Amino acid sequence: MNFLRRRLSDSSFVANLPNGYMMDLQRPDNSTSSPVSPATERKHPQPLQPSHSSSTGTSIFSSISSAMKQTTQAAAGLIDHSASPTPPVAQKPKILLVIDDAHTDWVKYFQGKKVNGEFDIRVEQAEFSELNLAAYVTGGCMVDMQVMRNGTKVVRSFKPDFVLIRQHAYSMALGEDFRSLIIGLQYGGIHTVNSLYSIYNFCSKPWVFSQLIKIFNSLGPEKFPLVEQTFFPSHKQMHTTPNFPVVVKLGHAHAGMGKVKVENQHDFRDMASIVAMAKTYATTEPFIDSKYDIRIQKIGSNYKAYMRTSISGNWKANTGSAMLEQIAMTERYRLWADACAEMFGGLDICAVKAVHSKDGKDYIIEVMDSSMPLIGEHVEEDRQLIADLVVSKMTQLVITAGSTPSPLRPWLPQVQPVSMKSQIGPQLGQLSQPRPPPQGGPRQPQGSQPPRTNAPPQQRLSPQGQQPQSPQSTSPQQQRSPGSPQQVRSATGSSPVQASKAGVFPPQQPRPPAQGRAPSQPSPTETSKQQATPHPHLNKSQSLTNTFSISESSPRGNTNEDEAKAETIRNLRKSFASLFSD
């Protein structure tokens, strides 16, 4: 113990210790006098007090224990570096853009609602004609809005998080084509109700009718009675039709526009000339003497069925005066709505229009998307259902975005924490091994050596968790860090120390030897002997040396400085080995 005190009192020895280790030994003790040099102490020896020696030994053990504990926790990632809990940050509200006319105030239907229970909803409402946008690859979509509110022009720019589309994006009758805005929203990656893919496909009624033909061929005429329709891409094919009267529909229009009832062949030829002037396509279908119209609407999981009867006597039930009433929702009507809701990847809001003839037959004539008008006595309820549907979609989007890695910031491989724990395992296992006999004592025979439970497997993952390493790649020459203070020495038998660090450091190139010194390459016989025979100094002081090696993993360019620090570590190791072997 006297030797240890003299050794630790040496100023050159303490100065070479790494920062932060054994700081309590460097502080002066208030109960003792000022420190003296080792020479003065030898000239005037004083008897050591038992209490002082016991406190010194306790401080040494506490220093070693705290150093090992901090190093192990830092390597395992168990230390929490947060000094204090961060204050709660106010969440930015989610911006919802509602594309609809000014007759419906959608702000009140989203009042008090939150996305995922934590984000407020800021509603911006405008029509297609009042919007403009610019979309970017990484910047999303920036929308410019110019609206008139109470005679005042309001101009705003924002990035919407979600869009509810309640207007038609394309209409030939009004000469309004907003398909470019739909493309811009899709370009910016904006989520909408209904989906932008379905809305863009609904910009052509014959294209939508082709999807109804697929459903008709799948379910059959009994379950899905579809009206007979003929498509003409231009006026040149409109020569004749087999039966009259027929209904001619020009292009893509809404609310009964572009529909003409043709009674005979002469009127049909005149209608073909009008199609030629319009430079568009046309469809014809047989005229059905209807008793009433049927409309089945689906909003999320809510179904409603209505019957509309014309009072004014017009063959178009949606023109003039009509009587509207809600009817029972049958399984047949539900099948129609569910079948149509599956087209174009799914429709959250849709409606199926059919005609009930006077002979008692039903004919499906059209399907509408989220831009369908709301009718009946439950308009307020339907709007609330749409608002709840939008909030649920936004919540699902927030949850999905929080659990899915971004393409610009992917997740780290999940194998890294597992590999880190497997690397710390051999170090922790060394602390529980029994202490070997002191230096110069009899060695334990190889036959009685206990089996190693922490032996490395035949193939394991590297610390990066990417490529498997073979057992040959974990040799001491390849696994030693360039900044490690220990050198490769085959004569002194220090390779077991480096072999214990094989699971901690990634494979590195060996450091070139010092100038004027030839690199020593151990023979295969010596290497196997070093790995099989336990070293007598593989004790707690050796674990402390491993701890210092972890903290000094930065590369150094000066060879002399490396040798000096390596010599200091070796002296420290020998000192503690002599201490614990006494």
Side-chain angles (χ1 to χ4, degrees):
M1 186 62 71
N2 293 334
F3 170 77
L4 181 61
R5 292 186 63 233
R6 291 194 301 269
R7 187 63 178 170
L8 295 180
S9 300
D10 191 359
S11 60
S12 61
F13 173 77
V14 177
N16 290 327
L17 287 178
N19 294 331
Y21 289 93
M22 303 174 67
M23 294 299 295
D24 52 351
L25 298 181
Q26 303 180 31
R27 301 190 189 96
D29 193 358
N30 296 330
S31 61
T32 61
S33 60
S34 60
V36 296
S37 63
T40 307
E41 185 178 2
R42 285 194 296 267
K43 292 181 180 179
H44 303 281
Q46 295 179 1
L48 299 177
Q49 298 295 332
S51 60
H52 182 72
S53 60
S54 60
S55 62
T56 305
T58 305
S59 62
I60 294 175
F61 283 108
S62 62
S63 301
I64 297 175
S65 302
S66 61
M68 288 299 300
K69 184 177 180 181
Q70 293 177 2
T71 306
T72 305
Q73 291 181 353
L78 302 178
I79 298 179
D80 188 9
H81 298 282
S82 59
S84 60
T86 57
V89 180
Q91 300 288 351
K92 295 177 59 177
K94 296 294 182 180
I95 301 178
L96 171 64
L97 174 60
V98 180
I99 302 179
D100 198 0
D101 54 38
H103 297 289
T104 304
D105 185 14
W106 283 97
V107 177
K108 65 179 182 180
Y109 298 101
F110 292 93
Q111 189 74 27
K113 297 183 180 296
K114 290 182 178 292
V115 178
N116 200 23
E118 54 180 341
F119 297 96
D120 294 330
I121 300 177
R122 170 186 159 193
V123 180
E124 298 287 351
Q125 182 174 345
E127 299 183 17
F128 269 120
S129 59
E130 300 171 338
L131 296 177
N132 196 2
L133 60 83
Y136 310 92
V137 174
T138 58
C141 183
M142 179 62 70
V143 177
D144 297 330
M145 181 178 67
Q146 297 182 4
V147 296
M148 298 296 297
R149 294 289 184 265
N150 299 324
T152 304
K153 185 177 182 180
V154 179
V155 180
R156 293 178 185 173
S157 297
F158 54 88
K159 287 186 177 181
D161 298 296
F162 204 87
V163 179
L164 170 63
I165 300 178
R166 293 281 300 143
Q167 272 191 332
H168 298 291
Y170 176 63
S171 178
M172 295 178 60
L174 302 177
E176 296 180 353
D177 185 1
F178 304 106
R179 289 177 292 184
S180 60
L181 297 179
I182 302 298
I183 296 174
L185 293 175
Q186 178 72 17
Y187 195 96
I190 305 300
H191 295 266
T192 62
V193 169
N194 287 341
S195 66
L196 294 172
Y197 175 75
S198 65
I199 290 175
Y200 193 84
N201 281 277
F202 264 86
C203 291
S204 176
K205 286 191 173 182
W207 184 265
V208 177
F209 199 87
S210 66
Q211 300 296 316
L212 297 178
I213 296 176
K214 292 182 179 180
I215 300 175
F216 171 79
N217 295 331
S218 176
L219 299 179
E222 295 296 331
K223 295 182 178 180
F224 198 80
L226 186 63
V227 67
E228 291 286 342
Q229 191 177 87
T230 305
F231 174 76
F232 300 100
S234 64
H235 70 285
K236 297 179 181 179
Q237 292 79 21
M238 297 179 63
H239 299 295
T240 182
T241 184
N243 297 317
F244 290 98
V246 296
V247 177
V248 180
K249 299 179 180 179
L250 279 72
H252 182 79
H254 308 281
M257 291 182 153
K259 299 179 182 179
V260 181
K261 179 182 177 182
V262 179
E263 298 286 349
N264 51 54
Q265 183 69 27
H266 301 286
D267 295 340
F268 187 77
R269 291 179 180 178
D270 294 339
M271 195 67 214
S273 63
I274 297 177
V275 174
M277 294 296 295
K279 298 179 181 181
T280 183
Y281 52 81
T283 59
T284 62
E285 57 190 45
F287 173 76
I288 300 173
D289 190 7
S290 63
K291 184 177 182 181
Y292 53 83
D293 291 352
I294 302 173
R295 170 173 163 163
I296 302 100
Q297 72 179 26
K298 180 178 182 293
I299 302 175
S301 59
N302 182 267
Y303 298 84
K304 287 186 178 67
Y306 295 95
M307 179 182 67
R308 182 173 56 186
T309 305
S310 177
I311 300 177
S312 59
N314 197 316
W315 66 274
K316 297 179 182 180
N318 57 352
T319 304
S321 300
M323 181 178 62
L324 182 68
E325 59 179 322
Q326 187 174 359
I327 58 177
M329 188 70 189
T330 63
E331 291 297 328
R332 190 185 190 194
Y333 294 161
R334 189 184 299 271
L335 176 63
W336 296 356
D338 291 339
C340 294
E342 295 179 358
M343 62 173 59
F344 302 128
L347 305 177
D348 299 313
I349 303 173
C350 66
V352 180
K353 293 176 65 176
V355 175
H356 184 79
S357 62
K358 292 182 178 180
D359 56 1
K361 296 181 179 181
D362 295 330
Y363 299 92
I364 298 174
I365 60 175
E366 188 181 358
V367 61
M368 297 180 290
D369 64 345
S370 60
S371 60
M372 66 177 188
L374 300 177
I375 59 176
E377 300 177 354
H378 306 284
V379 174
E380 293 295 325
E381 178 185 352
D382 294 341
R383 290 172 180 167
Q384 193 63 52
L385 290 173
I386 293 176
D388 296 338
L389 175 63
V390 171
V391 173
S392 65
K393 290 291 182 179
M394 296 177 70
T395 301
Q396 181 180 1
L397 182 61
V398 169
I399 296 176
T400 305
S403 60
T404 304
S406 173
L408 299 180
R409 294 185 302 171
W411 278 346
L412 295 176
Q414 296 294 333
V415 74
Q416 286 187 355
V418 180
S419 64
M420 179 62 70
K421 292 180 182 178
S422 64
Q423 294 164 9
I424 300 303
Q427 283 189 350
L428 298 180
Q430 292 178 1
L431 299 180
S432 61
Q433 294 180 358
R435 186 179 65 177
Q439 186 176 6
R443 295 185 179 181
Q444 184 180 2
Q446 298 180 5
S448 62
Q449 182 179 2
R452 296 180 61 184
T453 58
N454 294 329
Q458 295 296 329
Q459 185 176 7
R460 64 181 179 85
L461 292 179
S462 64
Q464 285 78 9
Q466 296 177 355
Q467 297 180 356
Q469 295 180 352
S470 60
Q472 289 80 5
S473 64
T474 60
S475 62
Q477 286 80 7
Q478 294 179 357
Q479 290 292 335
R480 186 175 58 83
S481 175
S484 177
Q486 298 190 3
Q487 301 177 357
V488 179
R489 300 193 308 272
S490 61
T492 58
S494 61
S495 59
V497 179
Q498 299 172 0
S500 66
K501 297 189 294 181
V504 180
F505 295 98
Q508 301 286 346
Q509 294 295 333
R511 187 181 62 188
Q515 185 176 4
R517 180 184 301 177
S520 61
Q521 298 292 338
S523 62
T525 306
E526 294 178 353
T527 304
S528 61
K529 184 182 298 183
Q530 292 169 2
Q531 294 179 357
T533 304
H535 196 274
H537 293 289
L538 190 59
N539 47 25
K540 294 183 179 180
S541 64
Q542 186 61 56
S543 302
L544 183 61
T545 306
N546 294 340
T547 303
F548 292 155
S549 301
I550 293 177
S551 63
E552 297 182 1
S553 59
S554 59
R556 300 179 178 89
N558 193 349
T559 308
N560 297 329
E561 184 181 353
D562 291 344
E563 294 179 357
K565 293 194 175 182
E567 185 65 24
T568 302
I569 296 299
R570 287 196 297 271
N571 294 335
L572 178 63
R573 182 186 62 195
K574 293 178 181 179
S575 301
F576 282 103
S578 302
L579 168 65
F580 293 114
S581 62
D582 291 340

